[in-house]
Amino acid sequence: MGLNQSNHSIDKFTSQLSAHIWGHRFKEGQRGPEYVLEFLNVLYGTDYNFDAHEYKQRKSVSLRKFIFQGVKEGSVRDIVTLQDAELEKLKETFPDENNLTVLRKFLRSLEVELYNVNGEEADRSWYARTLYPLHESLLFFELRKKESSQMLIERNFFARGGELYFLMLAYGTEENDGQRRFIEERFRELLNKNKMIYRVVESIQSSLGEKEGHVDEKFSKLRSSIQNEENVPYLPDTRMPIFKDFANELALLLQNDVEIYELFRLLVSLVCFQLTRYMHVRAQDVGDNNLLYFFDCLDGLNTHVTQLSAQTFKEHENLIKKRFEKEFERKYREAIGNTDSVNEKLIEWKNDTDAFFKRLGLDKLRTAKKVIESVLKSCDSENDLYGRLYDVVKDVVSNRLKKDQLNITRVLTRDGGLATYRRGSGVNYRYTISDTFIQSLVFTMVGPGNKMEFHAFLDQIYQRFGVVIGEVQARQSGLYERSRLNVRYFQENEKALREKLRRNGLLVEYSDATAMIRNPYSPVKRMEEVGYA
């Protein structure tokens, strides 16, 4: 059996565990920009309404064929082409073929380039490629080719992280109607500004039979009264305070008068940071509130700072691993049942091992099934079930389980510009600050056209996010004492951040001791009419 097939055999079990912790469902296949694009698709599909319980999905198959004509369906498949009849219709609408070629090149230039964990361009089929959302008409969902030539929306082709982010904002703005309406209307405004693009896309789609309201669209549910209903997004806890934080941060970013092209990269950074924090918070024990993010601002030039940043990243990954181990134990004990009936069930399962695998949700398991069966048949007591058998089943699923979820946070942090991976360095992943990430932090902390003293900014990002950069916050958090590093390293790290801010045009220095962070953007109109929590 191939690796992919083997992995698929425990998908049901692992997805149930992850859904119970984070929701239905995050998965490693989705890249940072795709989370934002899917969220925008959902928001557009609800007509910019966080109260909605369903949304329309638009495929725009023929439009994509026109844009990505000549692109392969993956690395070894057919090249996408339009039918002769479709080409003739386009020529009727655009008699000058040069104009048609220019339009295709322009739209193709808007493709959002995605990269894998090795920094190489991701292999995406033409029907899974996406465009910068310069207008809502350029929003469409990923597709998957199924049963030869049929094109169907596949909600499991990628994880549905954008749907979950939509729900987080919906729950986070429930008690702040002014903020909710501002976010809705601001996105509506941003995604409808470029009328020229809309007219071009409308002309292309009209000639290809893809007008608004075409059978090309379908509606999908956003909420369900049934936990983990198939193909419906689900959050385990809809009352988490962090959802209000997310809504506040997004609203603050949207206050800046930034065009959608520039805003998109800031959104990717912010959303990736938010979802990373969400996963870490959900992985914590109840009542624990000690998440710290130590960022290496020296770009790997100081070994001690680099190692401390990597250690922080590793601690967060261990947090996720422990959460999975705890969740696995819960699900295993739940499946085995109460003590009174264990011995009776054990006899039944030894005679019918398939019943045991079905009970755990591992009925599709193939590769390690015989190993588990062997141990199960040798079990004679409750202690054996919770001892030897527990360890064997845990080993089978835990490595895959942890790897998948760790890859989610690794992708989020890298695509969000808040982590770096250095192959062969011994420290691998560590928290770093990219230009885009520092910009997104400033624009969500400092109001448009406003200023904030540099050290006040350091204190604010520590208080809000647990971000540690310099000496003061390292001492306050206890990180300085635990790390046993020379205080000079934290001071150098702080100076490096100050230089990054200055280089990005976000810092005005008056002296060595005094510097002000400034937000150069103007506020959007009507901003003063909106209330914020």
Side-chain angles (χ1 to χ4, degrees), residues 177-189:
D177 190 65
Q179 185 183 74
R180 172 177 284 198
R181 301 309 165 209
F182 170 72
I183 295 174
E184 292 169 345
E185 292 308 312
R186 178 70 174 130
F187 274 118
R188 185 193 298 274
E189 176 189 19

Side-chain angles (χ1 to χ4, degrees), residues 241-259:
I242 200 172
F243 296 158
K244 291 184 179 180
D245 295 338
F246 290 174
N248 287 333
E249 292 156 18
L250 179 61
L252 288 166
L253 180 61
L254 292 175
Q255 287 180 16
N256 295 276
D257 192 9
V258 185
E259 293 301 314

Side-chain angles (χ1 to χ4, degrees), residues 256 262 265 434-436 438-440 442-443 446-447 449-452 454 457 496-510 515-522:
N256 295 276
E262 177 70 11
R265 65 183 186 86
S434 67
D435 289 344
T436 301
I438 194 60
Q439 289 167 17
S440 70
V442 168
F443 301 150
V446 184
N450 293 337
K451 294 180 181 179
M452 180 182 290
F454 174 65
F457 175 76
L497 176 64
R498 184 163 163 162
E499 174 58 25
K500 284 178 181 288
L501 288 162
R502 187 193 62 78
R503 198 169 59 238
N504 278 279
L506 301 173
L507 190 80
V508 179
E509 296 181 297
Y510 297 100
M516 300 292 291
I517 293 178
R518 68 184 185 92
N519 183 338
Y521 285 109
S522 301

Side-chain angles (χ1 to χ4, degrees), residues 175-442:
E175 299 174 3
N176 194 334
D177 190 65
Q179 185 183 74
R180 172 177 284 198
R181 301 309 165 209
F182 170 72
I183 295 174
E184 292 169 345
E185 292 308 312
R186 178 70 174 130
F187 274 118
R188 185 193 298 274
E189 176 189 19
L190 286 164
L191 294 173
N192 280 276
K193 273 189 174 181
N194 296 301
K195 300 297 184 183
M196 182 61 74
I197 289 179
Y198 168 69
R199 286 193 286 270
V200 168
V201 171
E202 185 183 41
S203 296
I204 295 171
Q205 291 193 291
S206 179
S207 64
L208 296 175
E210 287 187 336
K211 289 184 178 181
E212 185 80 9
H214 190 262
V215 290
D216 157 272
E217 297 174 342
K218 62 171 285 188
F219 281 84
S220 296
K221 292 172 67 174
L222 275 168
R223 293 174 172 87
S224 173
S225 57
I226 303 173
Q227 182 173 327
N228 290 336
E229 181 180 348
E230 187 177 2
N231 289 334
V232 179
Y234 158 77
L235 289 171
D237 183 357
T238 62
R239 300 294 177 183
M240 290 183 68
I242 200 172
F243 296 158
K244 291 184 179 180
D245 295 338
F246 290 174
N248 287 333
E249 292 156 18
L250 179 61
L252 288 166
L253 180 61
L254 292 175
Q255 287 180 16
N256 295 276
D257 192 9
V258 185
E259 293 301 314
I260 187 63
Y261 185 87
E262 177 70 11
L263 181 65
F264 181 75
R265 65 183 186 86
L266 298 172
L267 280 172
V268 171
S269 187
L270 175 64
V271 172
C272 285
F273 185 39
Q274 290 177 330
L275 294 180
T276 298
R277 287 153 50 205
Y278 167 75
M279 295 192 75
H280 291 159
V281 169
R282 287 291 298 168
Q284 286 183 303
D285 291 329
V286 176
D288 193 0
N289 189 26
N290 193 35
L291 281 173
L292 295 177
Y293 297 85
F294 177 70
F295 284 87
D296 175 9
C297 299
L298 290 163
D299 298 328
L301 297 178
N302 184 301
T303 303
H304 300 287
V305 171
T306 296
Q307 289 176 340
L308 182 58
S309 177
Q311 179 185 327
T312 308
F313 197 101
K314 190 67 175 178
E315 287 172 357
H316 291 161
E317 293 200 324
N318 287 335
L319 188 69
I320 291 174
K321 290 178 181 179
K322 290 178 181 177
R323 184 67 175 88
F324 259 119
E325 290 172 358
K326 185 176 180 179
E327 187 63 21
F328 172 80
E329 182 178 357
R330 181 200 65 79
K331 183 170 176 58
Y332 185 86
R333 288 183 177 276
E334 183 182 86
I336 296 300
N338 61 61
T339 304
D340 295 338
S341 60
V342 164
N343 290 330
E344 184 179 319
K345 289 179 180 178
L346 177 57
I347 296 173
E348 175 188 337
W349 290 333
K350 289 172 71 172
N351 293 325
D352 182 6
T353 57
D354 286 341
F356 173 78
F357 286 105
K358 188 173 183 179
R359 178 85 173 180
L360 276 179
L362 291 172
D363 41 310
K364 293 184 179 179
L365 188 66
R366 295 293 179 270
T367 306
K369 188 173 183 178
K370 289 185 178 180
V371 176
I372 297 176
E373 280 181 337
S374 175
V375 176
L376 173 61
K377 290 180 178 180
S378 69
C379 289
D380 295 318
S381 66
E382 178 183 346
N383 288 336
D384 289 338
L385 282 174
Y386 289 118
R388 292 187 296 117
L389 186 62
Y390 171 86
D391 291 337
V392 171
V393 177
K394 179 182 174 183
D395 286 343
V396 169
V397 301
S398 62
N399 288 338
R400 166 91 191 286
L401 196 63
K402 295 170 187 175
K403 178 179 178 294
D404 284 355
Q405 303 307 312
L406 294 183
N407 278 341
I408 293 174
T409 54
R410 289 176 179 181
V411 167
L412 285 170
T413 53
R414 289 183 67 180
D415 287 358
L418 54 140
T420 301
Y421 174 77
R422 182 182 293 179
R423 188 182 299 277
S425 66
V427 295
N428 296 332
Y429 285 89
R430 72 183 193 280
Y431 289 116
T432 55
I433 289 188
S434 67
D435 289 344
T436 301
F437 180 54
I438 194 60
Q439 289 167 17
S440 70
L441 279 180
V442 168

Side-chain angles (χ1 to χ4, degrees), residues 35-148:
Y35 283 98
V36 176
L37 286 169
E38 185 176 74
F39 161 68
L40 294 177
N41 266 288
V42 175
L43 188 61
Y44 159 75
T46 64
D47 194 26
Y48 304 93
N49 181 6
F50 283 118
D51 293 320
H53 284 249
E54 64 177 9
Y55 69 100
K56 65 181 177 183
Q57 293 181 324
R58 183 170 57 186
K59 292 191 287 185
S60 300
V61 177
S62 295
L63 174 65
R64 279 192 257 193
K65 284 184 176 181
F66 169 74
I67 296 172
F68 297 110
Q69 195 168 197
V71 175
K72 290 183 179 180
E73 298 177 7
S75 57
V76 295
R77 303 180 188 90
D78 296 334
I79 295 175
V80 60
T81 57
L82 286 170
Q83 300 296 321
D84 290 341
E86 293 174 313
L87 290 172
E88 287 302 318
K89 290 178 181 178
L90 282 171
K91 289 177 182 178
E92 291 176 8
T93 305
F94 303 94
D96 189 334
E97 289 192 33
N98 288 331
N99 290 341
L100 200 58
T101 301
V102 170
L103 286 177
R104 178 184 290 114
K105 286 183 178 179
F106 168 70
L107 292 172
R108 181 66 190 279
S109 71
L110 299 180
E111 181 181 353
V112 177
E113 295 182 346
L114 302 173
Y115 298 91
N116 60 27
V117 293
N118 297 318
E120 302 166 342
E121 187 175 352
D123 180 18
R124 288 282 195 268
S125 301
W126 65 269
Y127 43 78
R129 297 188 180 217
T130 52
L131 304 175
Y132 279 97
L134 298 192
H135 188 272
E136 63 182 28
S137 60
L138 297 180
L139 290 171
F140 36 70
F141 268 79
E142 303 97 338
L143 301 176
R144 189 173 189 176
K145 197 166 189 179
K146 188 177 181 180
E147 298 175 1
S148 67

